[in-house]
Amino acid sequence: MEGATESAESDDNRGRLSQRLRRERLSSYWFTGAGYFAIALFALIVLTLIYQSLPLLSEYSLVQVLTSSNWDPARNEFGFLPAIVGTIYVTILTMLIGTPIAILTAIYIAEYAEGRTKRLVSSFIDVLAAIPSVIFGLVALIVVVPFVGNYLAPVFGSSGTGTGIFTVSLVMGIIVTPFMISLSVESLEALPDELRESSLGVGATKWETIRLVLLRAAGPGIFSAILLGFGRVFGATIVPAMLIGGQTRLPDSLFSTGQTLPTLIVNDFGELMSVPITQSALIFVGLMLVVVVWIFNFSAMLVRRRLQRRWQY
């Protein structure tokens, strides 16, 4: 009787184990399928963009479209240099404005703020990150544009309405900062307390501990936060479209109006997509955005791995 009971329990255990193994195998298939689906989707997007860009590249050389500053689709002139320069200006200036603010704020929240103050500042950072970009654009049209046009630009000898590269960069710096702060704070707070105690124990001050130990240990995470900010700025559309002025010409100062690659697509998409060669030109702009972001992310991944190996704690 006991032997029969043990045999039944053994069969039951084998059945449950077999069921768990089946579920695990099925889950593995799903995860593998999802990974290959993501790769296939990316390849499909890139191939579509390449195929749709061929009409433009069959009539104009790559060097010609990348180095020409003449953008006039009505005359079949497709020079992307002004939009490329505008994109580079906006991205660099935004990161120069946003990155120091993000890192210093993250250090304050993670290492200095305590109790209610820390919760209050962190909650405001989260709220800022959740506000839609178009709201920042509307507020900037009312507040930032008149301030830049009437007061700031004249100080540097420039004139204009206040829309332009500097205004876009200033507003985008505010938009991307909360994301970089949140990720940087997580990286700093994830460090073990023993790291801080060891540094303070050998006589280092708190600032020396932050500068020489914590920032190095959290470096890969902070670097990833900066990359996220770069990606958001490079592909930003609505705020640059509202504030940059929409002039496809080479900017002669940081307060000049201009154009970025995403705004070039947005501004000309509706009325010009019916013309095949112009449609191909705008799709080529999308291809450039994808290629640049992919190259940057791949390079950043290599740099991040190098930092992780060098700054191990």
Side-chain angles (χ1 to χ4, degrees):
M1 187 65 180
E2 289 181 359
T5 304
E6 290 177 358
S7 176
E9 288 179 355
S10 178
D11 291 341
D12 190 41
N13 289 336
R14 278 199 296 270
R16 281 200 295 268
L17 179 60
S18 175
Q19 199 174 23
R20 287 173 57 189
L21 289 175
R22 246 192 333 268
R23 287 177 187 167
E24 189 174 331
R25 201 177 300 118
L26 190 61
S27 301
S28 175
Y29 290 150
W30 274 107
F31 293 138
T32 304
Y36 282 114
F37 175 76
I39 295 172
L41 186 61
F42 177 78
L44 179 64
I45 292 172
V46 172
L47 290 175
T48 302
L49 292 175
I50 292 174
Y51 178 74
Q52 294 293 333
S53 301
L54 290 180
L56 174 76
L57 298 178
S58 63
E59 295 190 22
Y60 304 89
S61 70
L62 186 61
V63 174
Q64 185 179 359
V65 295
L66 293 181
T67 57
S68 173
S69 58
N70 298 320
W71 172 263
D72 190 351
R75 298 180 179 177
N76 285 340
E77 294 178 343
F78 301 101
F80 297 113
L81 187 60
I84 293 172
V85 172
T87 306
I88 293 172
Y89 276 9
V90 168
T91 303
I92 292 177
L93 192 56
T94 299
M95 299 311 293
L96 288 177
I97 293 172
T99 302
I101 296 173
I103 294 176
L104 292 176
T105 307
I107 291 173
Y108 169 73
I109 294 174
E111 302 300 327
Y112 288 97
E114 294 179 351
R116 187 177 179 182
T117 303
K118 182 173 183 176
R119 289 195 297 273
L120 187 66
V121 175
S122 298
S123 63
F124 271 103
I125 297 296
D126 293 338
V127 171
L128 278 175
I131 295 176
S133 301
V134 68
I135 304 299
F136 284 99
L138 288 174
V139 174
L141 282 173
I142 299 170
V143 180
V144 181
V145 170
F147 173 75
V148 173
N150 297 332
Y151 301 103
L152 193 57
V155 171
F156 292 92
S158 297
S159 60
T161 59
T163 56
I165 290 172
F166 180 81
T167 304
V168 174
S169 303
L170 184 62
V171 177
M172 285 305 301
I174 297 170
I175 292 174
V176 300
T177 298
F179 295 95
M180 293 194 289
I181 291 173
S182 297
L183 290 177
S184 299
V185 168
E186 288 179 8
S187 300
L188 287 169
E189 289 183 338
L191 299 176
D193 289 335
E194 290 78 8
L195 207 61
R196 298 172 177 82
E197 293 166 359
S198 300
S199 177
L200 294 172
V202 297
T205 64
K206 186 164 186 175
W207 173 240
E208 287 173 339
T209 299
I210 293 171
R211 185 166 56 89
L212 301 176
V213 179
L214 301 184
L215 286 180
R216 290 172 67 91
I222 295 174
F223 184 68
S224 298
I226 295 172
L227 291 183
L228 177 64
F230 171 86
R232 282 184 61 85
V233 176
F234 194 79
T237 304
I238 186 66
V239 170
M242 295 172 72
L243 302 176
I244 202 166
Q247 300 293 320
T248 310
R249 61 185 179 85
L250 285 173
D252 52 12
S253 78
L254 294 181
F255 294 97
S256 298
T257 56
Q259 192 80 273
T260 65
L261 291 171
T263 60
L264 195 66
I265 298 175
V266 173
N267 292 336
D268 294 339
F269 181 84
E271 55 184 299
L272 297 176
M273 282 299 278
S274 57
V275 183
I277 188 67
T278 306
Q279 175 181 327
S280 179
L282 295 178
I283 291 175
F284 179 71
V285 174
L287 178 63
M288 281 195 292
L289 288 170
V290 172
V291 170
V292 171
V293 169
W294 182 80
I295 292 175
F296 186 85
N297 284 345
F298 184 74
S299 304
M301 180 187 69
L302 298 178
V303 173
R304 189 167 58 241
R305 286 183 179 176
R306 188 178 178 87
L307 290 178
Q308 286 173 337
R309 285 198 299 268
R310 185 177 178 183
W311 292 348
Q312 286 181 344
Y313 59 88

